[in-house]
Amino acid sequence: MAKVSAANAELVLRLYVAGNAPNSLIAVANIKAICAAHFAEGHELEIVDLLKHPARALEDGIIVTPMLLKLSPLPVQRVVGNLSDTVQVLLTLAHK
Amino acid sequence: MSAREAQHIREIEQRLAEAEGTIAALLSGQIDAVVDSSNRTPLLLAAAQEALRASEERYRRIVETTNEGVWLTDADNKTTFMNRRMAQMLGCEADMGVGRSPFEFLDEAGRAILAAHTQPPEAHQVEVRYIRGDGTSVWALLGSTPVFDSDCRYEGSLAMAMDITDRKRSAEALEKLSQQTERRERMLTTMLSSIHDFAYIYDREGRFLFANQSLLNLWGITLEEAVGKNFFDLGYPDDLAEQLLRQVQEVFETKESVTGETPYTSPAGLDSYYEYIFSPIAGADGTVEFVTGSSRDVTERKRTAEAWRAAKDAAQAANYAENAAAESEAANRAKSVFLANMSHEIRTPMNAILGYSQLMLRDPALGAEAKSNLNIINRSGDHLLALIDDILDMSKIEAGRVALNAATFDLSGFVKDVAAMFRLRAEAKGLGFEVIEEGECARYIVADEGKIRQALINLLGNAVKFTELGWIRMRVSVTEGEGGQLRLAAQVEDTGVGIAAEEQNQLFRPFGQTRSGLKAQGGTGLGLAISREYARMMGGEITVSSEVGKGTIFRLEIPVGAGHARGVVRRTDRRRVVGLLPGQPAQRLLIVDDERNNRDWLNKLLTSVGFSVQEAENGQTAIRIWEEWRPQLILMDIRMPIMDGLEATRRIRASQAGEPPVIIAVSASALDEDRGKVIDCGVDDFVSKPCREDELLEKIRARLSISYLYAGGQRSQETNSVAALASVLNTEVVTRLPIELMEQLRHAVRNGENDRLDALIGKVMEQDAPFAGALRDLADKYEYDALIRLLEEATHA
């Protein structure tokens, strides 16, 4: 885990959305704003449409959208919702 | 608690936190979709569903209402979707296109273009043409974007098509038009370059906008150099440049073509003559926008025309001169003949008037008033005769029929002679009359005596006529001028009415009488004109100076030659026959001719020379007359009716009776063989018609061995008679005629009794043929003055 943590100092995020559904669009906007404000130096953000790629959602165990996955650094953590509670999002992303 | 247990607990806590977050999110409505784990399908929550539907609706509306065609294809290039607009463009229903390749709708060129952009797929924008099911076509501006999935696999293409058929068509039309325009311009330019004539276009200021190659060659510059230049810039002479500019502007103003011609020397020094036309080029609004012109080199034509015209003019002038000369000659001849006839026609009745008035004047029983009236008739008759003579003289001068007859004469005697004529008349009027010969007058001079006499008679006559009181004086002198030239001056001075200065220049004009002349009611007014013409012909002049009421001085001056007494003797070697030398036996001549005119002419001629003449109109008559009259010579015409000349000649020759006559054949035939035939039949000689007087007379002289008298003067009609008279008188062979006959002759002449004169001349003929010939000659020519002189001198001889 330390090894992983050390190797993945960079923040890797994946956001699952449901097409152009309202909360999904808000979530996209929020995460982009948070990344731009706090992780401008290095982050990776993938946005996946649950409607287009249901198989991947199942693989990642997605049950609702919008759902943000922090894939790195470990541990993997999830935040559900439109990510409007910025403090909660940052706490989650900072969690080790 | 072990580390594993602690880890486990942390995971549980994390999951609980996640669950708590999820529940919070759910409760706060932050969830869009839930995944149904049993059938693995995402379930959209109502709000998300609605939003999605609205979104899709929005896009669908955009797609369906846009004016652009929207076309979706999959990775295999099969159509998955096309909007209504696209279907409309392709001429089909929207769902009919699904599953088909977009290539199916393209024309061949379009397929090739598109293929280039789809392998590999890339964004592109092209113009292609779709062919519809009904065969029509549509042009589209096609913008295509490839679509990739999240794994970068090609999923298909999104294409937007805009109908650009109209734009394309107008562009095509434009292209076609511009091609046509370009082609037409090329044709025109080539054509204009290839013609020899000049073609050009001016703007309003007369500047060249275009000039074809021929003109550029003439100027030796290029089109670029020529454009924008006016005539002055191009070095045209100022006057020509101004003229051309004016004409260009005239076309702009009048909208009418103008033409012109001009010489022009090119910069290279080529001199040519050009014909040009400027025409308007109207703009859309009807005003003249430009002026086009063309010029043609007409130098050759001009030269040819000029040469032709010059030749024509010359020919015309020559023709005209010839005609004019011929016409004037004919006119003058006609006039002279007319006047001669007229004077004769007038003289004949005048004979009766004068003759009878004189006869009546001898009647002692005549009352004073009747006598006075008869005198008036007589004077008027005399006057009329004088008029006729003047007119005849003037017409001779105008016809150029007056010749000079210079001869030596005795000036002193001449002056006395003339003076004698006027002394009595002047004295009868109570006027003094004086003749002064100034200096050492040369006695003998060479000049035309007759004309000087006539001029002096005229001047003296005028002086007597216009002077009522005082005297008349004539001064005569001969002086030696420059180069030894003698000049005769005769000045006639009177104390008469005088001539106003403004009338003096009219004096010498034919038919231009002055006021005093008109008042005096005498003369034709021709006298001075005739005199001056005579003076001028002799190289001299008559001048006048006069003062009204005081008198007039006329001065005649002419150059004369120095003469000698010897010269007064007339030469007799001139060849003009005047008559037979007296003292020869009478010569009888027979004229045989069927043409009356020919006989008349020959008769007149031979009679005037002094022969006795008879006529015959054919051979038969000729033989009879010959037998009776025995002529020494026969003039025999050849072709005659009843008996021709050949037969008559043979018969006369066959007859042995008496002296054989000389026979001269007169024939119109000029052929030698005819002549030979004529001579064969026995004629002595041959004269061809029309026969010349001298030739005929010479042949007669030779055959008869007789002698003629010849005239001493020139062959002038006017003075032959005087010359003839002189020769007659100077040969000292004048036969003494009875004094009564001479008196009768004079009387007949003075009274104009022509018939009687004829009869009297016939009598003279019997005794002195040459003298009679001279008299007849003068009478025929109406030379009555000369006739009188001849008679007077003969009487005194």
Side-chain angles (χ1 to χ4, degrees):
Chain A
M1 289 303 283
K3 188 185 163 196
V4 172
S5 178
N8 295 298
E10 213 175 70
L11 184 64
V12 176
L13 302 171
R14 183 179 291 159
L15 177 62
Y16 277 94
V17 295
N20 292 324
N23 284 309
S24 297
L25 293 177
I26 293 167
V28 169
N30 280 334
I31 192 60
K32 283 187 174 175
I34 290 168
C35 286
H38 301 279
F39 310 102
E41 308 234 320
H43 76 276
E44 212 172 272
L45 174 63
E46 184 186 8
I47 294 167
V48 179
D49 188 347
L50 169 74
L51 302 178
K52 284 183 180 174
H53 306 284
R56 290 185 65 192
L58 285 173
E59 275 172 32
D60 277 337
I62 299 302
I63 48 168
V64 293
T65 61
M67 182 182 285
L68 177 68
L69 294 181
K70 186 195 76 170
L71 299 171
S72 170
L74 289 174
V76 173
Q77 285 190 300
R78 301 151 194 265
V79 179
V80 174
N82 63 12
L83 311 178
S84 52
D85 185 348
T86 308
V87 174
Q88 181 58 42
V89 173
L90 285 173
L91 281 174
T92 306
L93 297 183
H95 190 257
K96 294 185 181 176
Chain B
M1 191 169 62
S2 67
R4 199 174 161 194
E5 282 171 345
Q7 172 75 20
H8 193 66
I9 288 166
R10 225 169 24 243
E11 282 180 13
I12 290 168
E13 277 176 356
Q14 191 184 328
R15 284 188 189 276
L16 278 174
E18 281 176 14
E20 195 182 340
T22 304
I23 289 161
L26 272 171
L27 290 176
S28 63
Q30 290 184 22
I31 302 300
D32 291 327
V34 176
V35 178
D36 182 352
S37 47
S38 58
N39 59 10
R40 298 175 154 213
T41 342
L43 296 173
L44 286 175
L45 297 179
Q49 238 172 346
E50 175 56 28
L52 200 63
R53 200 194 55 76
S55 173
E56 281 188 343
E57 175 63 18
R58 201 156 56 239
Y59 282 114
R60 193 188 60 79
R61 233 178 249 164
I62 289 169
V63 167
E64 288 306 327
T65 56
T66 181
N67 199 33
E68 293 187 42
V70 179
W71 196 336
L72 294 175
T73 52
D74 63 13
D76 297 326
N77 202 27
K78 292 285 185 282
T79 302
T80 55
F81 172 81
M82 66 170 64
N83 68 351
R84 262 206 303 261
R85 177 66 186 135
M86 192 69 235
Q88 197 184 19
M89 279 166 66
L90 296 175
C92 64
E93 294 297 322
D95 50 357
M96 277 170 61
V98 175
R100 293 167 67 182
S101 164
F103 279 42
E104 289 179 33
F105 299 95
L106 287 167
D107 66 3
E108 205 164 325
R111 280 200 286 273
I113 291 167
L114 227 52
H117 291 289
T118 50
Q119 291 298 329
E122 56 178 17
H124 57 266
Q125 183 162 334
V126 292
E127 287 183 5
V128 291
R129 189 165 66 132
Y130 294 109
I131 307 295
R132 289 173 175 150
D134 63 1
T136 58
S137 63
V138 60
W139 277 95
L141 175 63
L142 189 67
S144 183
T145 314
V147 179
F148 299 93
D149 69 4
S150 50
D151 297 329
C152 289
R153 285 197 302 260
Y154 177 61
E155 269 192 329
S157 293
L158 166 62
M160 310 280 280
M162 192 193 293
D163 186 344
I164 55 166
T165 306
D166 288 349
R167 205 188 74 195
K168 197 79 182 168
R169 293 225 169 108
S170 52
E172 266 176 7
L174 209 64
E175 172 71 7
K176 207 167 161 186
L177 192 69
S178 100
Q179 275 177 3
Q180 280 177 349
T181 309
E182 192 264 348
R183 194 165 62 230
R184 204 158 53 203
E185 195 177 313
R186 207 168 50 234
M187 278 163 53
L188 285 173
T189 310
T190 311
M191 188 182 82
L192 289 173
S193 298
S194 65
I195 58 175
H196 290 299
D197 289 356
F198 304 148
Y200 38 86
I201 295 174
Y202 304 117
D203 68 6
R204 185 168 279 278
E205 275 72 44
R207 292 182 296 231
F208 281 91
L209 296 177
F210 172 82
N212 74 341
Q213 200 55 46
S214 305
L215 184 52
L216 294 170
N217 290 345
L218 182 77
W219 288 335
I221 57 176
T222 65
L223 182 59
E224 287 69 31
E225 289 170 316
V227 166
K229 295 217 166 85
N230 64 22
F231 303 109
F232 296 99
D233 300 333
L234 288 163
Y236 277 53
D238 282 356
D239 52 345
L240 177 58
E242 273 160 27
Q243 174 198 331
L244 294 174
L245 182 59
R246 201 169 49 245
Q247 287 183 313
V248 169
Q249 282 165 349
E250 189 185 323
V251 176
F252 272 107
E253 279 153 25
T254 63
K255 303 180 188 178
E256 302 276 339
S257 294
V258 300
T259 60
E261 288 186 344
T262 182
Y264 172 69
T265 306
S266 76
L270 180 69
D271 276 319
S272 290
Y273 209 89
Y274 296 94
E275 187 179 82
Y276 57 86
I277 178 166
F278 295 162
S279 300
I281 301 179
D285 61 351
T287 61
V288 180
E289 206 168 1
F290 306 111
V291 166
T292 179
S294 74
S295 303
R296 175 167 298 179
D297 186 338
V298 293
T299 313
E300 274 311 306
R301 200 183 71 195
K302 193 91 183 162
R303 282 187 191 140
T304 313
E306 266 167 20
W308 187 78
R309 195 179 305 118
K312 197 175 142 203
D313 284 353
Q316 243 171 12
N319 203 15
Y320 178 78
E322 209 171 276
N323 284 347
E327 274 170 26
S328 118
E329 172 78 1
N332 277 331
R333 208 164 34 237
K335 191 165 102 182
S336 299
V337 169
F338 170 78
L339 287 170
N341 289 341
M342 273 310 289
S343 61
H344 181 76
E345 291 302 318
I346 293 170
R347 271 176 187 283
T348 308
M350 284 305 294
N351 289 339
I353 294 167
L354 292 176
Y356 281 102
S357 62
Q358 281 168 9
L359 199 65
M360 287 166 77
L361 276 171
R362 288 205 188 97
D363 185 353
L366 204 62
E369 194 182 345
K371 210 167 197 169
S372 160
N373 291 345
L374 278 170
N375 271 322
I376 291 170
I377 293 173
N378 227 341
R379 275 203 305 278
S380 300
D382 275 337
H383 184 204
L384 196 54
L385 284 177
L387 288 185
I388 290 161
D389 287 341
D390 277 357
I391 291 171
L392 208 56
D393 281 348
M394 201 65 219
S395 77
K396 279 181 186 169
I397 289 169
E398 287 182 345
R401 299 214 158 200
V402 180
L404 284 179
N405 304 288
T408 302
F409 67 95
D410 175 358
L411 178 62
S412 199
F414 167 82
V415 170
K416 281 188 184 73
D417 200 19
V418 174
M421 290 172 72
F422 288 93
R423 178 165 278 118
L424 284 175
R425 284 173 60 185
E427 284 166 358
K429 239 181 142 180
L431 302 171
F433 189 87
E434 190 180 7
V435 174
I436 304 168
E437 290 186 51
E438 291 182 323
E440 291 177 25
C441 262
R443 182 154 182 201
Y444 296 102
I445 58 171
V446 179
D448 189 326
E449 180 188 353
K451 293 193 177 60
I452 295 171
R453 182 192 300 269
Q454 198 167 333
L456 284 181
I457 287 172
N458 178 256
L459 296 181
L460 287 166
N462 283 343
V464 173
K465 196 186 323 183
F466 295 113
T467 306
E468 298 304 326
L469 201 66
W471 43 261
I472 288 158
R473 184 182 292 144
M474 178 163 79
R475 298 170 187 273
V476 180
S477 68
V478 175
T479 53
E480 192 172 320
E482 283 172 32
Q485 174 68 57
L486 294 181
R487 286 188 79 82
L488 166 68
Q491 183 171 306
V492 177
E493 199 178 342
D494 67 44
T495 55
V497 290
I499 305 155
E502 64 270 21
E503 290 192 327
Q504 287 178 12
N505 56 354
Q506 279 185 40
L507 276 177
F508 300 102
R509 287 193 196 146
F511 310 106
Q513 274 194 325
T514 62
R515 194 167 302 151
S516 49
L518 290 170
K519 210 190 282 173
Q521 297 280 324
T524 49
L526 285 174
L528 278 172
I530 292 167
S531 299
R532 172 175 270 195
E533 285 306 317
Y534 283 170
R536 287 181 174 176
M537 282 174 69
M538 293 184 280
E541 185 58 285
I542 293 180
T543 53
V544 62
S545 61
S546 178
E547 206 173 320
V548 174
K550 288 201 170 172
T552 306
I553 300 171
F554 280 100
R555 185 174 173 86
L556 163 70
E557 262 196 65
I558 52 168
V560 296
H564 194 274
R566 279 203 311 272
V568 177
V569 178
R570 307 290 167 148
R571 288 168 300 170
T572 54
D573 56 353
R574 299 299 298 210
R575 302 318 294 173
R576 183 173 161 84
V577 175
V578 180
L580 286 165
L581 198 64
Q584 302 177 94
Q587 302 291 331
R588 295 178 301 278
L589 265 56
L590 174 62
I591 299 164
V592 188
D593 200 313
D594 58 325
E595 279 281 327
R596 194 202 149 107
N597 287 341
N598 288 343
R599 291 203 306 271
D600 281 355
W601 178 82
L602 284 169
N603 195 339
K604 212 168 244 178
L605 170 70
L606 296 172
T607 305
S608 75
V609 171
F611 294 109
S612 295
V613 178
Q614 287 205 25
E615 299 176 18
E617 70 280 4
N618 60 50
Q620 218 165 48
T621 318
I623 291 167
R624 183 171 51 75
I625 293 173
W626 171 71
E627 284 169 346
E628 290 169 4
W629 194 49
R630 294 287 165 184
Q632 287 100 323
L633 186 140
I634 301 171
L635 290 175
M636 185 74 81
D637 186 27
I638 301 302
R639 284 186 199 170
M640 289 177 295
I642 304 175
M643 184 188 288
D644 68 14
L646 295 176
E647 181 59 25
T649 304
R650 269 192 291 273
R651 294 203 184 180
I652 291 168
R653 285 279 176 264
S655 159
Q656 297 298 319
E659 189 79 1
V662 174
I663 300 178
I664 297 177
V666 182
S667 171
S669 174
L671 293 174
D672 285 343
E673 59 193 59
D674 289 348
R675 183 179 289 227
K677 194 160 65 183
V678 169
I679 289 174
D680 282 349
C681 78
V683 303
D684 299 288
D685 211 334
F686 188 95
V687 173
S688 50
K689 277 187 193 171
C691 40
R692 282 167 48 221
E693 179 184 321
D694 51 356
E695 183 194 359
L696 179 67
L697 291 177
E698 177 54 26
K699 287 197 167 166
I700 292 171
R701 189 199 61 76
R703 290 289 162 187
L704 292 178
S705 304
I706 55 171
S707 301
Y708 291 134
L709 276 173
Y710 294 96
Q714 276 88 354
R715 308 180 65 185
S716 148
Q717 286 185 346
E718 198 245 1
T719 48
N720 285 336
S721 42
V722 182
L725 130 79
S727 62
V728 168
L729 296 177
N730 284 306
T731 48
E732 296 176 1
V733 290
V734 177
T735 315
R736 292 279 169 191
L737 291 171
I739 198 76
E740 314 86 71
L741 183 55
M742 293 300 279
E743 277 302 324
Q744 284 169 340
L745 277 166
R746 274 206 295 278
H747 191 263
V749 173
R750 283 210 181 96
N751 297 336
E753 297 167 357
N754 285 352
D755 293 341
R756 175 139 176 80
L757 186 61
D758 258 5
L760 291 169
I761 290 174
K763 280 190 187 171
V764 174
M765 181 73 76
E766 290 163 13
Q767 301 174 47
D768 188 341
F771 188 64
L775 291 176
R776 195 180 289 284
D777 199 22
L778 289 170
D780 284 349
K781 288 167 184 156
Y782 315 116
E783 300 274 2
Y784 295 103
D785 283 349
L787 205 51
I788 294 284
R789 271 202 322 276
L790 176 59
L791 289 170
E792 278 169 0
E793 290 182 48
T795 309
H796 300 134

